[in-house]
Amino acid sequence: MPPEGELRYPPPPPTESTTTIDEEAGWVWAQIKAEARRDAEAEPALASYLYSTILSHSSLERSLAFHLGNKLCSSTLLSTLLYDLFLNTFTSDPGLRVAAVADLRAARARDPACVSFSHCLLNYKGFLACQAHRVAHKLWNQSRRPLALALHSRISDVFAVDIHPAAKIGKGILFDHATGVVIGETAVIGNNVSILHHVTLGGTGKASGDRHPKIGDGVLIGAGATILGNVKIGEGAKIGAGSVVLIDVPPRTTTVGNPARLYYLIGFAPYLSLGWYCSYFTNNAPYSNPNAYGYYDLKKSLISFKQMKQALKSKCIEQMVEIMEGMWESNEA
Amino acid sequence: MPPEGELRYPPPPPTESTTTIDEEAGWVWAQIKAEARRDAEAEPALASYLYSTILSHSSLERSLAFHLGNKLCSSTLLSTLLYDLFLNTFTSDPGLRVAAVADLRAARARDPACVSFSHCLLNYKGFLACQAHRVAHKLWNQSRRPLALALHSRISDVFAVDIHPAAKIGKGILFDHATGVVIGETAVIGNNVSILHHVTLGGTGKASGDRHPKIGDGVLIGAGATILGNVKIGEGAKIGAGSVVLIDVPPRTTTVGNPARLYYLIGFAPYLSLGWYCSYFTNNAPYSNPNAYGYYDLKKSLISFKQMKQALKSKCIEQMVEIMEGMWESNEA
Amino acid sequence: MPPEGELRYPPPPPTESTTTIDEEAGWVWAQIKAEARRDAEAEPALASYLYSTILSHSSLERSLAFHLGNKLCSSTLLSTLLYDLFLNTFTSDPGLRVAAVADLRAARARDPACVSFSHCLLNYKGFLACQAHRVAHKLWNQSRRPLALALHSRISDVFAVDIHPAAKIGKGILFDHATGVVIGETAVIGNNVSILHHVTLGGTGKASGDRHPKIGDGVLIGAGATILGNVKIGEGAKIGAGSVVLIDVPPRTTTVGNPARLYYLIGFAPYLSLGWYCSYFTNNAPYSNPNAYGYYDLKKSLISFKQMKQALKSKCIEQMVEIMEGMWESNEA
């Protein structure tokens, strides 16, 4: 028996390969079947479940259509109707399979808790909600809007993931945990984006029309972050957990706090205070005793002060944050 | 075929009308049936669903009772039992129909993503949870509390909307997206209130008895806002997304931040800093070079400083916020 | 008929008793049966439901296994399979019954809205999710991981509560409202912890391995709080609603704000400003007119200033907050 924590699952394949898209999808599907066979043998209680959802199907699309149909059906929207709808849509647009495979790879690569492709396919409500959304999005664009909205509603009921059918979502997406995600009608999400649970891409309530965020490639949005309005989150940006973002975020920057611009405010306040502090110290001999009026090491403070001024000039938030943290930490030490 | 984005739905009727309440409800129900007929013709896959949930019913109450019964039933709480319960309650209190019609109108008027009355009736879990809550509230007041609590539990399971059956809710309510809404036992919500997803009207954990917020008419509560304790949110107030509110909010004011009183603190900090800044500049010639110690345009700062002092005196948060934003923006420019 | 608000439920028994664990569990189960009999008589519409979920069962474990099986089953994971799985696991480990009883008592003692043990057993999705998690955790430790993960997925779908099967959870736990709770793989939760809805115990995304919070005994975590990384929340600490916590929190302290360290920052800013304010006043006669440059009563400010310095030195956040609030309040008065 392996030590606790060892998972006995094969490692993910190298992400860069010379295989074609079809070969890639075939490889992933073969992996999923192999995982399901192994799990069915090891756990007879799951054998019937794994047979009906994976092992009895001839392709990823069929497995996914069956699984989604079962998850999203109700007494008035039958699973057979949904199965046909999903399978027809997957068959008509090979891009949906490519996107599903990229999403499976994203979960495997970016979520340390994802132990296998079949784990994601069977259990990740973020993955399943995203695939169902892609079908709803196709229906929306085909002007089959009542059906798209019915599907949207079922996804929101079953997975607690509320993505408007008109929202555009790229591929290689990880919706981690996914509960409570809300994405509005005119939102656009690029490729290779990671979105945690409780994230909102919403409107400000002030406008109709194009009113939701545009998320660049490779963005990471932390748990509970709320991004409102037609703002642009630049590629590779990181939005901290619990942030409230109402303004554009430049590429490759990190934003935190509520409101997210707070970092500017907070960044400014100690800067000004510190600025005065330093200038005062250097010009007012009677007050230069740090024990009397403050805790800062004067030399350190002056260095931090200059660094902060530079960071403010270049509007580099990450650097400002780093300096501030260094200031408080050195102060606390 | 219309251009993408055009919805081919009739516009909402004028909100002010001379019709009676019965005529109004009749008009809305006729609209819903017309929408359902049109959608059933355009989308045969939905025909059976639309027939069983809308077209086969003789009134809004019957349609709603059937739809809610189907959504909230389980293997131990049968849909027939729930259908009878909902229909009997709707029939016994015409006020519930009036409230449902006002809620349908609220969604249509205030949510740009709501394309039709039937869209809201069939798909909005916030609308459905609210109607089911009204029934649970009637049961609670009739001392049928175990049944009220069983219904409460099903609403929380199925819609992820947790409204205590004792909570009092007005009419013309929009629960937009609705996932994760939690409303405590002694909360009171006025008329024409809009509440986004993940909103909590909770207790502080310190008290029993009357311990939850009181929300005035026309309030808007943004996504993820948390309002705690027996506090009063004045009519027409706006609570920003992600706010944590622990104190009364005056009518027609806007509150943001975590904690919401933060705006006072933050408002103060730059004010004090700025105050010193200005006074220093004007009195210390050697430091009056803005390139040396800061970025503020001195004249602008002095004006802002005076405005802020005034805003602080009159405790006008909105004005303070506006001035502050102007300060940071002019500084960044 | 009793006045509205009176619940006609017996009060909870004294929490300290000389009974054995078995007697305690027997007493709670007898209470639950008595409550169910009373409710079935008063509300015939619930009689069949109460009979099948409680009255027909010979023990708490059997009732719980039946109820959880019914809640968590799907068309591919049958309720009979889940019933057997739950009952076998409960029977094999008496600790699970002890923990369930402690959780029932926790809800009864700490949630003013919990009117009876059967109310919690039947309706609290946080209670049910926690009991199902304990079973998933046993399976995980027995290397039955695919089954543990399938159960995990069903709990997340049905209750919108996402607890990784590897997470370790003590007893006497109250998950209040519970919607949207996310608890990561390497999280550890002590005994007698209260966790509100939308709480995240997550990773920072920077690490694999041991990467989730460790929550001490008796901690209270408010609605929407996000605790990230392998940080330690000391016993008896209180994490305010909406907090974002990225650092260790000492025992018996209160943490609020986003980010939670904000209190340090905010604490510092007025301190520094105030420090300057005071020193300036006492040393610059021309500026000592409070009407000209500020609102502070000088004497009060000096006292606050000294207190704050002391509070900062002892790193007592609660005291800092109290002083700050006193400052702003006296200023506003």
Side-chain angles (χ1 to χ4, degrees), chain B residues 228-245:
Chain B
L228 300 180
N230 186 3
V231 299
K232 196 176 168 175
I233 309 300
E235 59 180 40
K238 290 180 188 173
I239 310 298
S243 300
V244 177
V245 177

Side-chain angles (χ1 to χ4, degrees), chain B residues 192-327:
Chain B
N192 303 315
V193 170
S194 298
I195 293 179
L196 273 279
H197 53 289
H198 300 161
V199 163
T200 296
L201 308 181
T204 59
K206 286 181 190 162
S208 61
D210 193 356
R211 63 196 183 280
H212 295 108
K214 311 294 175 272
I215 310 297
D217 292 346
V219 167
L220 167 64
I221 308 181
T226 303
I227 308 178
L228 300 180
N230 186 3
V231 299
K232 196 176 168 175
I233 309 300
E235 59 180 40
K238 290 180 188 173
I239 310 298
S243 300
V244 177
V245 177
L246 307 166
I247 52 171
D248 287 0
V249 172
R252 285 168 299 282
T253 55
T254 297
T255 302
V256 300
N258 170 4
R261 50 169 53 178
L262 207 60
Y263 249 126
Y264 288 103
L265 295 173
I266 292 290
F268 247 112
Y271 160 67
L272 286 178
S273 302
L274 197 61
W276 282 111
Y277 197 78
C278 298
S279 65
Y280 214 83
F281 260 62
T282 47
N283 291 284
N284 292 272
Y287 302 108
S288 59
N289 175 4
N291 294 321
Y293 291 99
Y295 301 115
Y296 280 110
D297 178 276
L298 182 58
K299 229 170 185 171
K300 272 193 196 163
S301 292
L302 279 167
I303 294 166
S304 300
F305 171 54
K306 278 178 192 164
Q307 287 173 335
M308 180 65 87
K309 215 163 101 174
Q310 204 55 46
L312 271 169
K313 262 184 184 159
S314 56
K315 294 196 188 176
C316 176
I317 300 177
E318 280 192 337
Q319 202 183 328
M320 280 167 59
V321 171
E322 208 174 281
I323 298 165
M324 269 196 299
E325 289 184 344
M327 282 166 20

Side-chain angles (χ1 to χ4, degrees), chain B residues 153-166:
Chain B
S153 166
R154 284 303 296 159
I155 300 167
S156 178
D157 284 2
V158 172
F159 298 125
V161 173
D162 181 341
I163 310 177
H164 193 284

